[in-house]
Every structure is written in structure tokens, then in C-alpha cells.
């Protein structure tokens, strides 16, 4: 396993999800294996890259009319706020 | 809710405990503040789970109605946000399961595809995510792949990988054990990665 930021991040994630610290025997074994096994390294890096893409998809703003309908349903519309059906 | 004492919560950041306490008394400003603080999170969670803007709006309404109705039972030991996540997830999953006539991929026996060249995929992903996401077709592919995940796998992925909830909280929100959540999460990730790999390799066989 290389020493790049990405490799460290892949290892950190694997260890965190296994509930182990990065300096545990488990994580040292994982690191050693990833160092030697190109196939597992590609699996781990491609998984991490996929998750990174999904995380960068932007969250949508709530459309104004949906907020208005919600507040109307909850009885929170002030007199100055027209409901979307009016 | 007229006649209740109100204060301007938009001008300050009250502690969650004070906000919940005021909301329990029916203070409309406090109730509104809870909506404003959490509506985007609830809407996006519902949108990712249901894949439908109308249903997401309904889930959001039902979620806040249930939150406000049950505020007296909320224990301030847990975070308000986590509690709202749980109610919203439950509401969205119920709708998703009752929708009927939907086809989801079967992930119960999914393993990483040994034929795929993940080295190539890893190499293609070695650019900034923001650069890669300028490709509209790629973004559609990513969104479409989530839509093919069965509800339990979709919930695990959205709660942990998109919303970034700790495993314990995500399992709570999904109403399953941490072990079951991890299994669902692993299969969801493999499916989404393989779907992306199929796209990147130029194949159209991944959905």
C-alpha cells in the first residue's frame, strides 16, 4: 500500500468500519495485504472513489412551495405568507 | 397555536434543549425554527430514498407532523436530528415498500464481479470528484443506480454514506441491527461501484 493520502484514507475507512484503530494488529495486516495485492487495492480504491462521487452530489434546496405547504399543514404560516394554493 | 408566548429564535442560536422545551409548549417560533433547521436534511433524505419529489414532500410533511406530535416523548439524551432521521427514514421506507410493482436488483448474493477491471476504474476515478461530476450522464448514472437498490440497501447507503450517520445511529434509524446494516451497506456499495464500473468501461450492462 502506498503512502499517499488516498491510501491512508482507504485504510482508515476499512479500520474504522471494522471498529479497529489504525495501529491495531488487524489494520497492520490489512495494510500489508493491500501493499502486496493489486487486485484488493484496486477494489478498495475504486469503492472509495465511488463513495466520494456520491458524497459530492449536491443536496437539493427545498422548493419554496413545498416549505409553504409544510408550514401550512403544521399551522405555522404567518398572515404575510400566502399559501401556494391561494 | 395563537396566544402562545414566542421569541425570535432566528436572531439567536438557542440550545437544542431550550428550543425543544419551547416547541413542547407550542411556541410557533420554536416549531418553525425546528422546521427550518431540519427540513433540508429531511427533504434530501426522503428524496434519495423515494426518488420522487412529490413523495419526498409528503414524507417531509408526515415526518414533521409526527415529530411535533411526539415531542413530549423526545428524550434530550439523543440528538433531535437523529430522532428526526429515524422518523423520516421510517416514513420513507414505508412508502417505498408499499409502492408496489417496482423492480429492484437482487443483492442478496452479490459479490464483487471478478471480470471487472477495478484497476482501470480506480485509475479513472483518480481525478477530483467535482471534475468527474461535470459529466451529466455520469451523474444520471449514479442517481439511477441508487434507484435500483432495494429499500433496505438504499437506506443503509443513504444514511451512512450520504448522510454520514455513525453506524449505530444509522442502524437505529433503519430499525435494524448494526450487523445487518453493515451487510446491507456492503452490498449496496458493491452494486453502486459495479454499476459505475460498467459505465466507465463503456459497457451498458450495469443498468
Amino acid at each position: 500500500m502506498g503512502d499517499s493520502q488516498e491510501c491512508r484514507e482507504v485504510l482508515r475507512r476499512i479500520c474504522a468500519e471494522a471498529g479497529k484503530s489504525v495501529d491495531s494488529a488487524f489494520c497492520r495486516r490489512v495494510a500489508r495485504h493491500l501493499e502486496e495485492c493489486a487486485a484488493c487495492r484496486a477494489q478498495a480504491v475504486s469503492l472509495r472513489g465511488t463513495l466520494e462521487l456520491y458524497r459530492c452530489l449536491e443536496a437539493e434546496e427545498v422548493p419554496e412551495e413545498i416549505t409553504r405547504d409544510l408550514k401550512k399543514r403544521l399551522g405555522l404560516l404567518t398572515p404575510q405568507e400566502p399559501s401556494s394554493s391561494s | 397555536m395563537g396566544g402562545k408566548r414566542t421569541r425570535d429564535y432566528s436572531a439567536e442560536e438557542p440550545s437544542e434543549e431550550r428550543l425543544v422545551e419551547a416547541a413542547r409548549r407550542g411556541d410557533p417560533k420554536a416549531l418553525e425554527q425546528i422546521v427550518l433547521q431540519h427540513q433540508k436534511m429531511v427533504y434530501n433524505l426522503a428524496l434519495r430514498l423515494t426518488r420522487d419529489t412529490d413523495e419526498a414532500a409528503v414524507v417531509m410533511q408526515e415526518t414533521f407532523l409526527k415529530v411535533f406530535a411526539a415531542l413530549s416523548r423526545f428524550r434530550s439524551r439523543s440528538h433531535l436530528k437523529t430522532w428526526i432521521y429515524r422518523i423520516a427514514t421510517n416514513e420513507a421506507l414505508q412508502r417505498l415498500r408499499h409502492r408496489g410493482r417496482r423492480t429492484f436488483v437482487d443483492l442478496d448474493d452479490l459479490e464483487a464481479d471478478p471480470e471487472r477491471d477495478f484497476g482501470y476504474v480506480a485509475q479513472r476515478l483518480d481525478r477530483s470528484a467535482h471534475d468527474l461530476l461535470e459529466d451529466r450522464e455520469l451523474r444520471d448514472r449514479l442517481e439511477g443506480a441508487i434507484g435500483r437498490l432495494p429499500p433496505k440497501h438504499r437506506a443503509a447507503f443513504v444514511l451512512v454514506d450520504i448522510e454520514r450517520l455513525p453506524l449505530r445511529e444509522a442502524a437505529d434509524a433503519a430499525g435494524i441491527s448494526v450487523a445487518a446494516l453493515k451487510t446491507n451497506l456492503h452490498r449496496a456499495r458493491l452494486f453502486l461501484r459495479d454499476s459505475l464500473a460498467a459505465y466507465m468501461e463503456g459497457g451498458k450492462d450495469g443498468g
Side-chain angles (χ1 to χ4, degrees):
Chain A
M1 187 102 176
D3 196 31
S4 70
Q5 175 71 26
E6 182 166 49
C7 292
R8 283 196 298 274
E9 178 58 26
V10 166
L11 185 62
R12 190 199 61 74
R13 177 181 296 279
I14 291 171
C15 295
E17 291 190 358
K20 310 280 185 188
S21 70
V22 279
D23 53 2
S24 65
F26 168 82
C27 287
R28 283 200 300 274
R29 273 204 310 279
V30 172
R32 221 168 19 247
H33 179 73
L34 289 175
E35 181 88 45
E36 293 159 0
C37 179
C40 284
R41 200 163 55 241
Q43 287 270 350
V45 170
S46 62
L47 264 174
R48 179 177 179 267
T50 303
L51 299 188
E52 191 60 33
L53 278 184
Y54 274 101
R55 284 184 176 149
C56 288
L57 289 174
E58 282 174 16
E60 294 200 18
E61 293 299 327
V62 184
E64 271 180 37
E65 67 271 19
I66 290 182
T67 298
R68 256 197 319 270
D69 287 347
L70 171 66
K71 286 167 79 174
K72 185 181 177 190
R73 184 102 193 265
L74 296 170
L76 295 174
L77 269 192
T78 58
Q80 294 81 24
E81 291 178 278
S83 67
S84 55
S85 54
S86 63
Chain B
M1 291 175 192
K4 304 282 184 187
R5 288 176 57 203
T6 67
R7 64 189 291 169
D8 184 5
Y9 288 104
S10 58
E12 56 181 297
E13 281 292 325
S15 73
E16 187 171 283
E17 209 169 323
R18 280 175 56 209
L19 188 63
V20 169
E21 204 44 59
R24 277 190 187 126
R25 291 194 306 268
D27 179 339
K29 289 281 184 199
L31 292 167
E32 185 178 16
Q33 189 62 22
I34 289 176
V35 169
L36 294 177
Q37 279 178 3
H38 299 287
Q39 65 165 355
K40 188 174 176 182
M41 172 273 279
V42 172
Y43 182 69
N44 278 277
L45 174 66
L47 202 53
R48 298 232 186 256
L49 289 175
T50 64
R51 318 283 309 147
D52 183 291
T53 50
D54 290 340
E55 282 209 85
V58 174
V59 166
M60 190 161 77
Q61 289 192 359
E62 294 302 320
T63 297
F64 282 107
L65 281 170
K66 286 182 178 169
V67 165
F68 290 172
L71 261 181
S72 60
R73 295 197 301 276
F74 171 67
R75 298 281 168 267
S76 48
R77 272 174 303 175
S78 64
H79 285 294
L80 181 62
K81 186 176 174 181
T82 308
W83 186 60
I84 295 176
Y85 262 119
R86 193 179 313 152
I87 293 172
T89 303
N90 193 35
E91 194 62 38
L93 286 180
Q94 271 184 18
R95 295 195 156 266
L96 198 54
R97 287 175 182 133
H98 289 124
R99 215 187 249 170
R101 288 199 304 121
R102 301 281 296 193
T103 44
F104 302 114
V105 285
D106 181 1
L107 297 188
D108 284 343
D109 299 315
L110 183 73
E111 296 293 339
D113 182 350
E115 301 298 312
R116 279 276 173 244
D117 182 357
F118 293 110
Y120 171 74
V121 177
Q123 202 179 357
R124 288 282 309 270
L125 286 168
D126 190 26
R127 288 173 54 196
S128 94
H130 291 288
D131 285 351
L132 287 163
L133 288 173
E134 281 176 18
D135 177 354
R136 175 80 229 179
E137 203 182 332
L138 174 67
R139 288 208 307 275
D140 290 346
R141 181 72 172 215
L142 295 171
E143 296 278 5
I146 298 186
R148 296 181 61 218
L149 288 172
K152 63 182 183 181
H153 299 88
R154 196 183 305 186
F157 176 72
V158 170
L159 290 166
V160 177
D161 284 332
I162 307 279
E163 301 293 335
R164 295 186 182 233
L165 288 190
L167 291 175
R168 175 75 265 165
E169 288 180 26
D172 246 23
I176 57 177
S177 68
V178 172
L181 180 92
K182 281 184 175 179
T183 303
N184 295 342
L185 181 62
H186 177 64
R187 288 176 179 155
R189 286 170 173 174
L190 286 186
F191 172 75
L192 295 173
R193 191 272 313 269
D194 290 2
S195 172
L196 178 65
Y199 172 76
M200 288 189 155
E201 286 178 345
K204 303 292 177 194
D205 56 321

